Amino acid sequence: MSGEGFMDLQLQNIPFTLIIPNRIDRVALDSLDEPRAREFLLEHVIPGALVELKDGHVYANANQHPVGVNLTCINMLLGYVLRYAQDTQEVRVVGHRHNVTDSLAVVFVEGNLTENKAAVNTNKLNKRNIQENNRYNEPQRLEMKNATKELAAIKENRIGQHLMNFLASMKSGTKVFQHFLSSSNLSQLLDDSSYMVLIPSDTAFQRWHPIDWGFYPFSVQEFTESVLRNHFVRVRQPPRMADLRSGAGEQKFKTLGGEMVVLKSKPIPNVNNVSIMYDYTLSNGVEVFVISEVLFVSEAVVSRLHQMHKDKETPPLLAFPWFGAQFLSHSFLALERDNRFTQITRFLNTAEIAQFISGSNYTFFVPTDEAFERYSFDILPDNVLASEKGVKLLLNHFIKGRLYDRDLKDGEVLDTIGGMPVKIHRTFDQNVTVNSARIVESEVFVYNLGTMFYVDDVLYPELLKDEVTAITEIKTPDKTVPEDVGSDIYTTDVGQPDQTSSTTPTPAATSTTHRTFFTTSADVEFVPLEITEQNGSDDDFLLQDDEIITPKALPVKYYFAPKK
């Protein structure tokens, strides 16, 4: 882009991102005419957005070509790459500054986005990049480029099928490896060469499995594929166990994933200091070594993977608050620990919605306390929150199906469990609103059960508008709203004033009672104190402290104490 183009973006205060390559063919660039040089520069500018390194995000560059952000395994360490157009080119991200200024972000990459550009002939987004077929984050297999199903089947029959037949014949010890291999497309990467296959035992994989609940690294499909690749070695002549026992020194090999493995004979045959338990030679010459640990997987790698995949963590089984609604239970406990959500937790604790939010796989738009207080919902009594309208309002904040930030696309309309639709609006700077509610915190994962999004407004607040109006319009006999409303103190007058007095009326028996002001409803009424008094008996004080509450008791009028 010319200098004038950059100045235009800055002067208009439009956010944009510069992708800065570390490798540019200056000779080739200098030989380009001005329009093609300009096109090269525009491929590395993303106008209207400050790029965030979040897996699955897709942006359009200045030439309207899609650039997708993907999390991948690079040398067994997780890192981000930018995938250009139809997955024909990807570059590794080596640095990122999100806010150089208020409207500028910079991403540093290895290589550049225009290498292999001749293969790009479409502006359409690749469905794997935007994960249209991965709406709820189900694991995806690695794709084979330029490989037809027929060719893949031939390769699998030549190499992979021999290995799968061997694993199927094993009664125990290698079932986990067999499962992961059958779920991958790794066999399609194999050719007619000779191979050495290092197979971790079931016990080796079990080491990384949480006992009751927690994070299992091999639930991340891409990570599992990368690990499998580093257990296959292409060799001219596979070493045999006898050769290892009789030989001295060490032998080094490079795996299909690019890592180095070292075979040693002492003190016992091992690979990268992991014991070789036993070996097999298959009919096609493939050598199989069963080993006691999974190679290239460490606590540090798993910890970093865990931080990036909180949505894969399995939860503990909760017996409360709602045994049959694990997502709802874990969401409630998480919100209960956050002082921004005292109103929604009161709402959840009052309204009976577990039957509608049973199991898992949900999305929950959670309003903050400020959102509830904006509509005076904080003064609503529990019986209103538990009413049919209250339950419907709450259910309008739940979506069936787990959504991620990438699924919230501009203009999309989603149906809530409460039956009302919500419309998504996403701006160029990635601000997202749901109806009128702005998302203030995105992708709060509730283990692998679902996702919460914190919002600053209540969805469909008009459902309880009349109830709020009815409460706020409660007035004293002189048509004024008393100052004590909400203070939980009011006076019950069970007598009548002396009508003959021209000054202050003579009060009859009165009692100042401490109660929650907004607990009286049409279904529950208080028994007048005159009914509970026992003429000075020993039980009199008990009945005043513990007032009797019965359904449809005798009616009683309430008057506010006059101001002194």
Side-chain angles (χ1 to χ4, degrees), residues 469-503:
T469 301
I471 289 178
T472 56
E473 287 183 351
I474 294 178
K475 296 179 175 63
T476 61
D478 61 355
K479 306 300 182 181
T480 61
V481 179
E483 295 180 356
D484 287 340
V485 170
S487 65
D488 296 348
I489 300 177
Y490 60 92
T491 300
T492 302
D493 190 348
V494 296
Q496 298 295 332
D498 186 355
Q499 301 297 329
T500 63
S501 175
S502 61
T503 55

Side-chain angles (χ1 to χ4, degrees), residues 196-199 239 241 244 276 278-279 287-291:
M196 173 176 64
V197 185
L198 307 168
I199 301 181
M241 180 67 83
L244 290 179
I276 298 175
Y278 37 87
D279 71 311
E287 186 70 13
V288 173
F289 292 105
V290 179
I291 57 180

Side-chain angles (χ1 to χ4, degrees), residues 404-421:
Y404 290 73
D405 179 73
R406 62 176 175 266
D407 297 311
L408 303 179
K409 300 174 183 177
D410 186 43
E412 185 166 2
V413 177
L414 306 170
D415 292 326
T416 66
I417 295 178
M420 302 297 287

Side-chain angles (χ1 to χ4, degrees), residues 156-171 174-175 178 181 282-283:
E156 186 170 354
N157 289 335
R158 290 178 180 176
I159 304 296
Q161 195 59 47
H162 288 280
L163 181 59
M164 294 303 296
N165 290 339
F166 161 75
L167 293 172
S169 66
M170 296 284 289
K171 294 183 178 180
T174 58
K175 295 302 180 184
Q178 178 188 359
L181 185 61
L282 307 187
S283 58

Side-chain angles (χ1 to χ4, degrees), residues 6 41 109 218 245 274:
F6 287 123
L41 294 174
V109 298
F218 299 105
R245 295 183 185 278
V274 174

Side-chain angles (χ1 to χ4, degrees), residues 54-59 65-71 81-90 113 120 122-135 137 140-141 143 145 222 406-407 409:
K54 288 190 176 181
D55 188 35
H57 279 200
V58 178
Y59 303 88
H65 292 152
V67 178
V69 181
N70 291 80
L71 178 65
V81 299
L82 296 182
R83 283 188 175 147
Y84 174 67
Q86 284 231 345
D87 206 14
T88 57
Q89 172 67 10
E90 70 177 34
L113 292 178
V120 181
T122 179
N123 288 343
K124 295 182 179 179
L125 299 182
N126 180 279
K127 71 177 182 179
R128 178 172 181 266
N129 276 352
I130 61 175
Q131 302 188 24
E132 284 285 347
N133 61 339
N134 188 20
R135 187 171 184 83
N137 204 41
Q140 298 294 299
R141 297 182 176 184
E143 295 181 357
K145 299 177 185 177
E222 188 174 13
R406 62 176 175 266
D407 297 311
K409 300 174 183 177

